[in-house]
Amino acid sequence: MLDDPTLLIPVDASEPDDPALELVELLRPLRIVVLGYYPVPDQAAPQQLSEEYEDEATAALEACARRFADAGVEVESVLVFTRDRVQTVDRVGNEYGCDAVLTTGAVGSLNHILVSLKDETNMFRVLEVVRLVMMAGDPEVTLFHAESVERGSARSELYLRGATDWLVDRGLDRDAITWVEPTAETQESELRELAGDHDFIVLGESEPSVRERVVGDLSNRVHDRTGKPVLTVRRER
């Protein structure tokens, strides 16, 4: 279970975008750490870039963090000049005890949230974030069972029904929650299709497969396909 969940939001400090107000409102219940990462080309020295651009990058990062602070969100910010964004995100996430990482994207309305549940050991961490997000707004939620089981199996139904009951027991509207059971053969393609029809996607972090090591993890593939914001709930460290 999560106690006072903390969300890490990586922002390219060389080309920062202010987070959409709708996204700020949705994430209000979470503590926020804004990571301003400044990409360092292989041929450049991090110290040199830091000396040249630190003031500019710091001002941009502070403006981004202020957008959350002005909405009453507890927020911290950290600036890093780095050659390896992924490594930096993981390191800063560990240092600040972050429970989830947000990949920002195009935001219109945030009325429909897709939640992919797979790893049973991480399920309740994902659901706790979903609970907080649903309490902050009034979205409809689709629970997706991303597991290699046959459609309509008793195990899949039990898993999704249990997740729904957990949210309802904590005061959420059962009518706002639906679920989808994919087949083993179509689970990722169905997830990407569903993601295109939703405004915001929540995934649980899992151990990387060989495919993910080669072509990138699922959250990146979903984001690249849809351009929508994707929140990945990290496994317990």
Side-chain angles (χ1 to χ4, degrees):
M1 194 61 61
L2 295 178
D3 182 22
D4 190 23
T6 301
L7 174 62
L8 181 67
I9 305 180
V11 175
D12 185 342
S14 66
E15 297 179 346
D17 288 324
D18 284 337
L21 284 174
E22 293 85 355
L23 199 56
V24 172
E25 290 295 324
L26 189 71
L27 301 175
R28 185 197 297 269
L30 306 178
R31 187 170 74 91
I32 304 292
V33 176
V34 180
L35 164 62
Y37 65 91
Y38 200 105
V40 178
D42 290 338
Q43 66 274 18
Q47 183 62 32
Q48 179 182 348
L49 280 183
S50 176
E51 292 174 356
E52 186 173 355
Y53 295 107
E54 183 173 9
D55 289 345
E56 177 184 328
T58 298
L61 180 59
E62 289 177 350
C64 179
R66 194 178 306 118
R67 197 168 179 86
F68 286 100
D70 289 346
V73 180
E74 182 182 352
V75 59
E76 295 182 71
S77 61
V78 56
L79 176 64
V80 179
F81 287 75
T82 180
R83 288 195 175 94
D84 191 328
R85 174 190 177 277
V86 174
Q87 185 182 69
T88 297
V89 167
D90 195 50
R91 176 179 62 80
V92 173
N94 290 338
E95 287 179 2
Y96 283 80
C98 295
D99 302 292
V101 178
L102 177 69
T103 304
T104 57
V107 176
S109 63
L110 286 171
N111 298 321
H112 299 91
I113 297 176
L114 176 63
V115 180
S116 178
L117 299 169
K118 179 178 181 180
D119 186 349
E120 293 186 15
T121 62
N122 203 32
M123 179 178 77
F124 294 109
R125 292 172 62 82
V126 174
L127 290 176
E128 178 63 16
V129 172
V130 172
R131 181 187 72 83
L132 292 170
V133 166
M134 289 183 72
M135 290 180 66
D138 191 24
E140 296 180 356
V141 169
T142 301
L143 301 178
F144 180 89
H145 190 196
E147 185 57 271
S148 296
V149 294
E150 295 180 0
R151 186 189 299 275
S153 72
R155 178 188 171 202
S156 183
E157 180 178 348
L158 183 64
Y159 187 89
L160 290 166
R161 189 179 298 281
T164 301
D165 290 344
W166 189 93
L167 292 171
V168 172
D169 287 346
R170 283 152 183 81
L172 302 180
D173 182 3
R174 186 179 295 274
D175 291 338
I177 306 169
T178 58
W179 71 58
V180 176
E181 303 168 57
T183 64
E185 293 75 19
T186 65
Q187 58 183 357
E188 183 170 325
S189 61
E190 279 194 57
L191 176 62
R192 293 198 305 266
E193 289 292 331
L194 280 170
D197 296 330
H198 289 73
D199 306 313
F200 188 75
I201 299 94
V202 181
L203 307 171
E205 180 186 46
S206 60
E207 291 288 351
S209 64
V210 173
R211 169 182 170 82
E212 287 176 335
R213 291 190 181 100
V214 174
V215 301
D217 64 24
L218 179 59
S219 61
N220 286 332
R221 295 199 296 275
V222 170
H223 180 267
D224 290 345
R225 167 72 179 265
T226 66
K228 305 290 181 64
V230 179
L231 190 153
T232 304
V233 180
R234 306 173 81 208
R235 298 188 308 277
E236 187 172 8
R237 262 46 180 185

